[in-house]
Amino acid sequence: MKKNSGIIDRLLFFTLVPSFFIALYLVFIWSPVEKFMGAPQKIFYFHVGCAWVAFMAFVIVGYYSVRTLINPNMDHHIKAGISAEIGVIFTTITLVTGMIWGKSSWNTWWTWEPRLATTLILWFIYVAYLFVRKMDGSWEKIAKLSAVFGIIGVINVPIVFMAIRWWNTKLHPVVFGDGKNQQGGGIEPDMLVALLFSIFTITVLYAFLMRKGVEIEKMRHIVKKAKTKAMEKLAG
Amino acid sequence: MTYLFMAYSVIWTLIAGYVVVLGRRQKELKKELQLLEEWNSEK
């Protein structure tokens, strides 16, 4: 099992490093410069990739939260926590790069547009989730309470995704599919390749960080147990 | 171009920041494990 785990870690790492360079090449050199927005449009590839991976991370939090509620298990609790941490990092990236892109295209850092507002709410829910996990008390109690937050948060994921399709929005364009008052603009084939490869790379990064984070957190739990035992021995 | 640079700087900084946090957690654990091993061998 440990041997397999090492192989998977190495496989992920050696996929991740060249993928990053290929993604950067595709984004900055291979894909064409957009006619109207110019160079800042290249923010799009990693902005969308990070948003996609953040959604995936929160769906995984939701999955492990449901499992934790059904059967409180340290393994599920740890996996949900690390996935939430990574999800918050990627949502932060999405929000900040979105603001920068917004400033360059809309000439404003922030607007209370449905996609932006729902993403910010999603970010707040999972930041709260991470704070709940840091509370004092038995791990079972914290695991159950945080699982509730994890499930509430995951309900918001499809709302964020559908926000620009359900509500009338003039600023955030629908790229794929159709919106309420707009048709999806689609994307150039070269840009699509760069986008899909960026999503793939960030997904591999997520998998790598997730495995490392879970491994460290499990080890921390073992050390904590050993420390408690040692203290008991010392006292006894 | 400034906006593009800003955006990618944010991306790399946040990802690198999280990797550093994970690295620190691992380092702290190694220290604690070492202390436990020392304590165990003294007993």
Side-chain angles (χ1 to χ4, degrees):
Chain A
M1 190 71 185
K2 272 235 159 177
K3 203 179 167 187
N4 280 345
S5 162
I7 290 169
I8 294 169
D9 283 343
R10 257 175 281 163
L11 193 72
L12 282 171
F13 182 75
F14 288 112
T15 310
L16 183 63
V17 176
S19 294
F20 249 112
F21 287 107
I22 296 168
L24 290 177
Y25 169 78
L26 290 174
V27 168
F28 289 103
I29 298 165
W30 200 69
S31 69
V33 176
E34 212 270 342
K35 236 195 281 178
F36 298 106
M37 283 181 272
Q41 184 272 338
K42 288 182 185 286
I43 296 170
F44 165 78
Y45 304 101
F46 273 68
H47 170 77
V48 174
C50 287
W52 180 257
V53 172
F55 287 167
M56 188 184 76
F58 294 143
V59 169
I60 290 170
V61 176
Y63 170 74
Y64 283 114
S65 296
V66 171
R67 290 191 70 173
T68 301
L69 276 186
I70 296 167
N71 176 28
N73 176 313
M74 181 53 86
D75 188 54
H76 299 156
H77 180 57
I78 287 173
K79 282 177 181 165
I82 297 298
S83 195
E85 277 183 4
I86 303 169
V88 167
I89 297 284
F90 282 125
T91 311
T92 310
I93 291 174
T94 308
L95 281 168
V96 178
T97 54
M99 283 167 69
I100 296 168
W101 193 7
K103 179 67 185 163
S104 76
S105 317
W106 310 332
N107 202 26
T108 178
W109 292 103
W110 185 265
T111 167
W112 290 102
E113 190 255 356
R115 173 61 67 81
L116 271 70
T118 49
T119 308
L120 187 65
I121 293 167
L122 185 73
W123 185 84
F124 272 121
I125 292 172
Y126 281 102
V127 168
Y129 171 89
L130 292 176
F131 275 112
V132 168
R133 290 179 67 96
K134 297 273 176 213
M135 274 169 36
D136 284 334
S138 73
W139 79 264
E140 282 104 334
K141 214 173 157 184
I142 292 167
K144 280 184 181 170
L145 186 64
S146 59
V148 174
F149 270 83
I151 293 165
I152 292 170
V154 85
I155 294 167
N156 199 25
V157 170
I159 298 173
V160 176
F161 182 75
M162 294 305 289
I164 54 170
R165 290 167 178 84
W166 285 342
W167 294 295
N168 191 15
T169 167
K170 288 188 178 78
L171 290 174
H172 228 122
V174 175
V175 179
F176 304 106
D178 292 336
K180 196 181 175 194
N181 287 325
Q182 58 171 323
Q183 284 187 320
I187 187 170
E188 278 260 327
D190 289 352
M191 289 178 173
L192 184 65
V193 171
L195 174 66
L196 291 177
F197 201 84
S198 301
I199 292 173
F200 165 77
T201 305
I202 301 166
T203 308
V204 176
L205 175 66
Y206 166 81
F208 181 75
L209 291 175
M210 179 79 179
R211 286 185 67 84
K212 280 284 155 206
V214 168
E215 188 188 303
I216 292 167
E217 208 52 34
K218 277 184 180 170
M219 188 53 79
R220 199 178 65 85
H221 188 66
I222 292 167
V223 170
K224 200 177 162 188
K225 261 188 180 172
K227 259 168 83 179
T228 316
K229 260 191 187 172
M231 296 295 269
E232 279 170 6
K233 254 190 190 178
L234 209 65
Chain B
M1 212 61 174
T2 316
Y3 292 121
L4 187 64
F5 177 76
M6 268 168 80
Y8 277 89
S9 302
V10 168
I11 294 169
W12 303 132
T13 308
L14 283 173
I15 292 172
Y18 189 63
V19 171
V20 168
V21 167
L22 286 183
R24 269 194 196 161
R25 283 181 192 168
Q26 198 167 22
K27 218 174 167 185
E28 273 170 29
L29 272 176
K30 270 186 188 166
K31 247 188 206 171
E32 284 190 40
L33 265 175
Q34 217 171 358
L35 278 173
L36 271 170
E37 269 172 17
E38 274 170 25
W39 180 83
N40 214 19
S41 60
E42 275 171 24
K43 281 278 281 173

